[in-house]
Amino acid sequence: MARALCGVVALDGPSGTGKTTAARRLATEFGAGYLDTGAMYRVATLAVLRAGIGPDDASAVVELVRRIEIGVGTDPKEPSASLDGVDVSEAIRTEEVNQAVSAVSAVPEVREMLVAEQRRIIRKALDEVGGIVVDGRDIGTVVVPDAPLKVFLTASADVRARRRSAQDAAAGRVSTPEETKASVERRDRLDSTRANSPLRAADDAVLLDTSDLALDEVTAKLTELAEDRGLLCGEVAGTRR
Ligand code: DC
């Protein structure tokens, strides 16, 4: 009998900790949905940049974000992001977006709108497929504070910068290790020190340092934690128990 993930797994932590890859693998393996909340903040940021609005101009940012349609797909095998119905999966990964996303995501009204939409997507996935792995910065603290499994991933700045560089290179984006490290550190500093929902581990999160772990090992550890919490349930003829 195939096992399925039932319930919400909240995965938080800074970039380059292996969160996204491990979340997608876990969701794929156990037939769950996957929600990349960072992609939603990136789509909002792309819209801001395209509209020529300064990312620090909070009232203009809020006004714009109210009017746009941010779409994210929850298939872990093929995550997608769209802006007003047009696919922007690639366009949201540029250094320009990296540089502006912390300012946009620090605006409280932007977070309020996106968190409401994230909760709606999570409820839908729970109704339709029974489980979802949610990747972000404030999932365990704000978005789903009652998630049955919360994991906070960490890794040294050097390791995170190296992973980011490898991802950039694989996607054909050019960056030097020094630039990547500076960019990753800057974003983490801004994300951790903002007033509203800063990046931090929930009190009941399991801390997992991935500096010396291969991605397979991170996925294996998450699977073990999900199993311990009773989140891997049986699947019988399309229904779960
Ligand atoms: O996961 P990512 O690197 O794609 O996220 C991009 C940015 O979005 C990140 O620097 C901070 C913000 N973010 C956030 O504030 N809250 C989340 N739940 C997810 C991301």
Side-chain angles (χ1 to χ4, degrees), residues 12-16 19-20 36-42 45 92-93 97-98 101-102 105-106 111 115 118 135-139 143 164 187-188 191 194 196-197 199:
D12 289 301
S15 64
K19 238 175 348 143
T20 301
D36 178 357
T37 59
M40 298 172 72
Y41 290 97
R42 287 174 177 274
T45 304
I92 60 170
R93 304 284 162 196
V97 172
N98 286 345
V101 68
S102 294
S105 59
R111 303 201 68 80
V115 167
Q118 288 157 15
D135 162 347
R137 303 289 188 290
D138 60 342
I139 310 307
V143 181
R164 249 305 125 104
R187 202 141 58 84
D188 292 344
D191 295 343
R194 70 180 172 222
N196 196 285
S197 317
L199 165 67

Side-chain angles (χ1 to χ4, degrees), residues 19-41:
K19 238 175 348 143
T20 301
T21 313
R24 287 179 56 189
R25 285 196 191 169
L26 186 71
T28 302
E29 191 161 337
F30 297 106
Y34 163 69
L35 176 59
D36 178 357
T37 59
M40 298 172 72
Y41 290 97

Side-chain angles (χ1 to χ4, degrees), residues 27-241:
T28 302
E29 191 161 337
F30 297 106
Y34 163 69
L35 176 59
D36 178 357
T37 59
M40 298 172 72
Y41 290 97
R42 287 174 177 274
V43 173
T45 304
L46 180 68
V48 165
L49 294 173
R50 284 185 175 173
I53 294 170
D56 292 312
D57 184 348
S59 55
V61 166
V62 172
E63 208 260 316
L64 177 76
V65 174
R66 265 193 228 294
R67 288 189 284 112
I68 58 172
E69 194 196 318
I70 298 174
V72 278
T74 54
D75 177 353
K77 290 192 222 82
E78 222 176 329
S80 60
S82 65
L83 170 59
D84 292 332
V86 178
D87 188 89
V88 290
S89 306
E90 299 259 312
I92 60 170
R93 304 284 162 196
T94 62
E95 186 53 27
E96 248 184 308
V97 172
N98 286 345
Q99 288 293 326
V101 68
S102 294
V104 172
S105 59
V107 178
E109 292 90 337
V110 169
R111 303 201 68 80
E112 227 170 81
M113 286 184 260
L114 267 53
V115 167
E117 178 62 7
Q118 288 157 15
R119 289 183 178 146
R120 192 193 62 75
I121 295 170
I122 292 166
R123 270 196 307 273
K124 185 163 180 273
L126 289 177
D127 283 348
E128 290 177 358
V129 291
I132 186 162
V133 183
V134 188
D135 162 347
R137 303 289 188 290
D138 60 342
I139 310 307
T141 51
V142 175
V143 181
V144 198
D146 61 350
L149 175 59
K150 303 176 186 178
V151 184
F152 192 86
L153 302 187
T154 59
S156 71
D158 282 330
V159 167
R160 291 190 289 114
R162 235 181 292 136
R163 287 181 183 154
R164 249 305 125 104
S165 284
Q167 279 167 9
D168 282 346
R173 292 184 294 266
V174 181
S175 59
T176 66
E178 294 74 27
E179 278 165 0
T180 310
K181 189 171 175 203
S183 169
V184 160
E185 284 182 326
R186 172 183 171 276
R187 202 141 58 84
D188 292 344
R189 192 177 55 253
L190 293 172
D191 295 343
S192 315
T193 54
R194 70 180 172 222
N196 196 285
S197 317
L199 165 67
R200 81 171 173 83
D203 294 338
D204 53 350
V206 177
L207 300 185
L208 181 59
D209 185 341
T210 68
S211 304
D212 299 319
L213 297 179
L215 283 167
D216 281 349
E217 293 173 303
V218 178
T219 314
K221 184 70 196 167
L222 294 179
T223 304
E224 192 186 307
L225 289 167
E227 184 143 43
D228 285 352
R229 300 285 162 104
L231 300 180
L232 297 185
C233 52
E235 185 180 40
V236 186
T239 57
R240 293 177 180 190
R241 61 186 170 88

